[in-house]
Amino acid sequence: MTAPAAGRAKKPSGPTFALALGGGGARGLAHIHAIEALDELGIEPVAIAGSSIGAIMGAGMAAGMSGADIHHYAKSILGRRGEVASRIWKSRPGSLREAVAGGFRLGQFDIPRILKAFLPDAVPDTFEQLNIPLKVTGTDFYGHKAAVFESGDLLSALAASAAIPAVFRPVLRDGRYYIDGGFYNPVPFDLLFGTADIVIAIDVVGAPEGDPGVAPATLDLMFGTSQLMMQSIIETKLGQHRPDIFLQPPVSRFRVLDFLKIDKVMSATAPLKDELKRAVDGAVRSRAVSL
């Protein structure tokens, strides 16, 4: 295991915390603020669950990266178009045979290759090498059910969780094909009940925005419909059992693939850091009163 990053403060005594990070593509860059807030409070979660971009951010944190580490790494790549283009180029198929394996798929990228080109070296090969237990959601396409990965190969699990249909190819893992985990569990806080005293959930799904009098473009319609479906799932789950802290930073103005807008996303969602700190303080006080 790697040692905890220097940017993370020593964990104080007190209640334990678990962290659920939701899916949302580029909107999930807001998760960095939440991780930084926990670092500054000296809180290291005892368990993390993530869907899609939340699983990727969660893997970095579980590997021992601080919020500052993740922020710097993301900025160093996504803040430079040339660097992004270079890494995408390096992730191209090694041969024509690889490119057409399984047939031609217009507009579908091989997400394991993409992730391998973009993930930091700190993220290990397997779940067992992580410092903090991590649960990653996926959707079993032919099995018609949610899946939870928490052991074995980490890259394929992260890729499966983030495999947005029509953008990325389904991911083959253990003989089954998986797509984006958000289609069954957009913010997997339910996987953490019973693992810690206080469960924190961050929802970055967002919702469609635009002029009500203008018909949405095809891509906006496709991704927006997914957002509406995921929000319906989240509302149902909240009605059954709410996490102790549930926060929704203002991310709706951004699209799922707006990764090059990292500065704007981070600026628009900066209040999340203080909001989470206040929520943690309130949750701790409430728990102390109830004991």
Side-chain angles (χ1 to χ4, degrees):
M1 289 186 179
T2 57
R8 183 159 293 146
K10 185 178 180 181
K11 181 170 53 177
S13 59
T16 55
F17 293 81
L19 177 65
L21 299 175
R27 297 183 288 267
L29 292 169
H31 289 319
I32 296 173
H33 292 305
I35 298 172
E36 289 180 326
L38 295 181
D39 288 345
E40 292 170 15
L41 291 172
I43 293 172
E44 181 178 285
V46 297
I48 300 172
S51 176
S52 195
I53 186 66
I56 295 169
M57 291 288 180
M61 188 180 193
M65 296 179 72
S66 68
D69 292 336
I70 298 172
H71 194 165
H72 175 75
Y73 184 81
K75 173 67 175 175
S76 70
I77 296 173
L78 301 178
R80 297 184 293 166
R81 289 179 178 270
E83 181 65 20
V84 172
S86 174
R87 289 176 183 252
I88 291 177
W89 173 253
K90 290 177 182 177
S91 69
R92 72 192 187 284
S95 66
L96 178 61
R97 183 176 181 179
E98 287 183 60
V100 300
F104 285 101
R105 293 179 173 87
L106 297 178
Q108 290 185 301
F109 295 95
D110 187 328
I111 190 168
R113 282 183 172 273
I114 295 286
L115 277 186
K116 192 169 184 179
F118 280 88
L119 283 176
D121 293 336
V123 175
D125 296 328
T126 68
F127 281 88
E128 289 75 15
Q129 293 170 286
L130 295 170
N131 295 344
I132 302 171
L134 174 68
K135 296 184 179 183
V136 173
T137 67
T139 297
D140 184 339
F141 188 75
Y142 291 116
H144 317 148
K145 61 183 180 181
V148 180
F149 309 115
E150 50 189 321
S151 64
D153 182 69
L154 181 57
L155 177 64
S156 63
L158 297 178
S161 188
I164 303 170
V167 178
F168 299 114
R169 298 178 184 178
V171 173
L172 181 64
R173 177 185 165 98
D174 300 327
R176 303 197 68 83
Y177 279 100
Y178 296 93
I179 61 171
D180 194 324
F183 283 99
Y184 262 94
N185 203 341
V187 190
F189 53 81
D190 53 304
L191 302 181
L192 299 175
F193 292 137
T195 65
D197 299 317
I198 295 173
V199 175
I200 300 169
I202 309 296
D203 171 20
V204 293
V205 169
E209 283 194 349
D211 185 339
V214 177
T218 301
L219 281 178
D220 291 336
L221 183 62
M222 180 180 68
F223 290 127
T225 300
S226 296
Q227 286 176 289
L228 294 175
M229 180 198 70
M230 292 178 189
Q231 287 295 356
S232 176
I233 294 171
I234 293 168
E235 288 180 17
T236 298
K237 288 173 55 185
L238 289 173
Q240 296 169 344
H241 191 169
R242 292 186 68 91
D244 301 279
I245 297 172
F246 181 79
L247 300 179
Q248 296 174 297
V251 294
S252 293
R253 59 181 279 202
F254 301 105
R255 296 180 177 180
V256 70
L257 298 178
D258 276 347
F259 286 99
L260 291 174
K261 294 183 179 180
I262 181 171
D263 289 335
K264 292 182 179 179
V265 175
M266 296 301 289
S267 176
T269 58
L272 174 63
K273 183 184 290 188
D274 288 336
E275 185 180 4
L276 178 53
K277 288 180 178 180
R278 290 192 297 270
V280 167
D281 181 65
V284 171
R285 290 175 181 272
S286 177
R287 183 174 184 277
V289 170
S290 65
L291 291 179

